Amino acid sequence: MTKHDVLSLLRAAAAPVSGEQMSKALGVSRAAVHKAVGQLRGEGYTIEAATNRGYRLLAEPDRLSGARIGQALAEHPWRERMVVLQSVDSTNNYAKNLAAAGAPEGTCVIAERQTAGRGRRGRSFVSEEGGLYFSCILRPRAAPQELLHLTALTAVAVSDAIEAVTGMQPQIKWPNDPVLSGKKVCGILTELSVVAESNEAEYVVAGIGINCNQLGFPPELSGIATSLRAETGKPVDRSALAAALARSLERMGRALFEEKAAWIARFRERCVTVGKDVVILRGDTSSPAYAAGVGPDAELLVVYPDGTSGAVSSGEVSVRGMYGYAE
Ligand code: BTN
């Protein structure tokens, strides 16, 4: 007996079906049925257990669906540009190859799982099923030094999409980690290719990994990562979230220069780092500082213990009391 047999019975049942009925039908113990129900719940099936009546299948876990994403993007200019994959090494790699081959702005590569997801600073990014792995090609007409704020604005766009689908309002840990309850819910890796002759961006790939329906994480992540499902108590429709991300990134692309100040203001409002003691990590050195604000290009404005001030544009900043804090 597998959990699939239990699932088939639950799917076929017009009314709640008891553990006793299932154990008889399948020729296994009630404990085995109970165990299978637990496994199915762990995979995202919503199964109600009503006393004296039995089990009822209320909802199935969502599978990423190109058709559903397309439906949710009706009339949207990016609608035909969604590439949905079961498994890929890294959606950023795949999107970079498409971009280099001339794919238009708004091409989004969306995967159920990645086998070699990449994070910032050469780290790997755990990319198991239940998450949403999404990379979007943007083609801003600008030099790299005019795009310093892009990664921060991407975090705002992602937070908007999460809010639209779940009602939760993520904060942002500088420079671009959306967080819920002080834990990381999403990682963002933006990669830029430059045309050497003109020093203009050829393309940007905004890579976004959102913890959606995971209920647990590997031990090294459990204290620092959360998922939308863990926060809301409900499974997330990842196809709806993918469509919301595409819409939000398209808005961001249009706002990148003309509404820059307004979007930076929204970044500031969400930025959980401001007003906190931080540690700035550069190479092997770490400097304590106070995060006083966010500048016009989304740089972190800091004050050092000796009273001098500075601006941090890149690198790692740990926030005292938050995940990843380095003493
Ligand atoms: C980080 O927090 O270090 C950034 C993680 C970025 C992960 C996303 S998942 C989709 C895209 N594909 C990748 O290989 N990385 C990004």
Side-chain angles (χ1 to χ4, degrees):
M1 197 261 326
T2 66
K3 62 190 176 194
H4 300 292
D5 300 316
V6 170
L7 183 58
S8 301
L9 287 180
L10 289 171
R11 276 187 179 137
V17 47
S18 70
E20 176 86 35
Q21 285 168 312
M22 284 198 277
S23 75
K24 280 199 180 127
L26 298 172
V28 297
S29 69
R30 282 174 63 179
V33 170
H34 185 73
K35 186 174 165 206
V37 167
Q39 286 171 336
L40 290 166
R41 283 187 175 138
E43 289 172 20
Y45 291 87
T46 308
I47 300 169
E48 183 189 65
T51 327
N52 297 331
R53 284 196 300 146
Y55 297 105
R56 199 156 62 104
L57 180 62
L58 297 182
E60 308 223 359
D62 89 296
R63 286 272 145 237
L64 272 178
S65 149
R68 299 240 333 275
I69 297 171
Q71 265 168 14
L73 284 174
E75 313 291 320
H76 193 273
W78 290 3
R79 184 182 176 176
E80 304 298 329
R81 301 181 191 171
M82 304 296 123
V83 179
V84 180
L85 306 170
Q86 278 303 303
S87 180
V88 66
D89 59 346
S90 150
T91 54
N92 265 32
N93 293 353
Y94 199 100
K96 279 160 70 174
N97 287 335
L98 291 181
E105 170 156 279
T107 303
C108 297
V109 180
I110 308 161
E112 290 276 5
R113 59 190 287 269
Q114 301 182 115
T115 53
R118 294 187 290 109
R120 290 197 302 267
R121 304 167 82 77
R123 297 189 190 119
S124 60
F125 186 76
V126 174
S127 307
E128 282 161 9
E129 278 191 29
L132 179 65
Y133 309 103
F134 184 109
S135 297
C136 175
I137 298 173
L138 300 168
R139 294 193 180 274
R141 294 221 167 133
Q145 59 273 23
E146 295 165 325
L147 293 171
L148 299 175
H149 61 301
L150 187 132
T151 182
L153 263 52
T154 303
V156 176
V158 171
S159 301
D160 286 348
I162 290 175
E163 189 171 340
V165 172
T166 67
M168 306 279 290
Q169 296 187 324
Q171 292 183 296
I172 299 171
K173 178 175 174 281
W174 190 93
N176 65 355
D177 279 354
V179 296
L180 286 170
S181 309
K183 291 183 177 179
K184 180 162 168 159
V185 73
C186 169
I188 298 175
L189 174 68
T190 42
E191 298 188 276
L192 171 79
S193 168
V194 178
V195 182
E197 298 81 41
S198 61
N199 189 38
E200 276 224 333
E202 182 195 6
Y203 63 79
V204 173
V205 167
I208 298 154
I210 305 182
N211 301 328
C212 293
N213 291 328
Q214 295 96 323
L215 284 173
F217 292 93
E220 69 276 14
L221 293 181
S222 61
I224 62 178
T226 189
S227 69
L228 297 177
R229 182 168 181 188
E231 296 298 318
T232 61
K234 287 186 291 203
V236 179
D237 178 343
R238 289 172 307 139
S239 301
L241 183 58
L245 274 177
R247 285 183 186 280
S248 194
L249 289 165
E250 193 263 341
R251 269 196 299 274
M252 181 200 77
R254 280 189 279 120
L256 206 49
F257 302 109
E258 277 157 28
E259 293 165 42
K260 177 177 167 183
W263 275 64
I264 293 287
R266 296 210 294 125
F267 178 83
R268 257 184 220 117
E269 278 165 22
R270 289 199 189 258
C271 186
V272 70
T273 310
V274 172
K276 303 260 168 57
D277 289 327
V278 297
V279 174
I280 301 158
L281 305 163
R282 287 195 195 91
D284 287 342
T285 62
S286 59
S287 330
Y290 173 76
V294 171
D297 281 316
E299 67 276 29
L300 190 66
L301 306 175
V302 296
V303 180
Y304 295 103
D306 65 3
T308 58
S309 51
V312 184
S313 301
S314 62
E316 196 90 341
V317 171
S318 296
V319 181
R320 187 185 287 275
M322 275 189 88
Y323 68 87
Y325 181 75
E327 286 294 344

